[in-house]
Amino acid sequence: MTKAEGRVSFKRVAILISGSGSNMRALVESMVGDHPARPVLVASNDPAAAGLIWAAGQGIATAAIDHRPFGRDRAAFEDALLTPLLEATPHLICLAGFMRILTPDFIRSFDGRMLNIHPSLLPKYPGLHTHQRALDAGDAEAGCTVHEVTADLDAGPILGQTRVPIVAGDTSSSLAARVLAQEHRLYPATLRRFASGDRSRIDPA
Ligand code: GRF
């Protein structure tokens, strides 16, 4: 953040990842110029997540909280995650390929301030293996959805959605790649609108 930017009150955004973090990267790269938000933390439940190194290279604070030592104790893992999160004082939290289910208590503490991207046309196919499920169902299209996170898995209010065609010969990986390219457009567009205080739904062409 430059000195001039420091005088403006940007929305502070924490991003949670588990893997390569390509959506996180798209979000970070979008938060420049007149964007109403700035990234303040990238955290992962996997210390080896490639996205952590990239984020640190951008000068963003990072945190790695390995979930494995906590076993099935989700609340204890979340307590550990809360330490860097609260230190970063985020207004908004973006889940970007974050592969841990969060407890209702954790979600409630960020009520109306947490977004997620999901690789399906919700309410179709919450949960895992979305692309294979769309192919198995013989769907003509697939897509991605940004939604508010509520205690019900992948079921919060929809903030944005993009559709992609399913084409002959598609496999779950070819479809995933086509959807992911749209995720990288949809999530930044939705965050930008949401951070400016507009919770209306966006369906980019
Ligand atoms: C994306 O398809 C996201 O929707 C899903 O997991 C994938 C994560 O990709 N939940 P990346 O880590 O953002 O590259």
Side-chain angles (χ1 to χ4, degrees):
M1 205 177 286
T2 66
K3 208 169 167 192
E5 286 178 335
R7 285 194 289 273
V8 184
S9 56
F10 291 107
K11 290 276 170 19
R12 300 169 61 81
V13 178
I15 306 172
L16 304 188
I17 65 170
S18 295
S20 65
S22 69
N23 276 292
M24 173 276 293
R25 191 172 167 150
L27 290 173
V28 166
E29 287 174 341
S30 74
M31 286 185 261
V32 294
D34 67 354
H35 196 291
R38 291 294 184 268
V40 294
L41 176 71
V42 173
S44 178
N45 62 299
D46 180 357
L52 287 173
I53 293 168
W54 182 85
Q58 304 297 303
I60 301 168
T62 60
I65 310 294
D66 191 344
H67 67 277
R68 287 167 295 194
F70 297 98
R72 291 172 182 273
D73 192 344
R74 291 187 189 277
F77 163 69
E78 290 173 353
D79 276 349
L81 180 61
L82 272 174
T83 303
L85 255 187
L86 295 179
E87 259 172 40
T89 60
H91 299 102
L92 301 175
I93 297 181
C94 288
L95 307 183
F98 184 66
M99 300 305 283
R100 305 303 301 165
I101 291 177
L102 296 166
T103 65
D105 276 350
F106 185 92
I107 292 169
R108 252 193 303 275
S109 58
F110 297 102
D111 190 31
R113 301 194 288 136
M114 197 176 340
L115 310 186
N116 180 43
I117 187 149
H118 184 74
S120 80
L121 295 172
L122 290 173
K124 267 189 162 181
Y125 314 130
L128 298 175
H129 311 302
T130 54
H131 308 299
Q132 192 58 51
R133 287 155 74 196
L135 291 171
D136 291 348
D139 291 353
E141 57 182 9
C144 48
T145 304
V146 176
H147 64 95
E148 265 183 61
V149 177
T150 61
D152 297 322
L153 183 69
D154 298 329
I158 291 177
L159 299 167
Q161 200 160 67
T162 303
R163 315 179 92 81
V164 305
I166 292 179
V167 300
D170 256 340
T171 61
S172 96
S173 50
S174 67
L175 182 55
R178 192 175 311 119
V179 171
L180 189 63
Q182 294 308 315
E183 294 182 41
H184 296 160
R185 297 177 63 229
L186 177 67
Y187 211 174
T190 311
L191 173 64
R192 186 182 181 109
R193 178 182 287 222
F194 192 84
S196 73
D198 182 350
R199 289 172 182 239
S200 64
R201 178 172 164 154
I202 185 171
D203 291 79

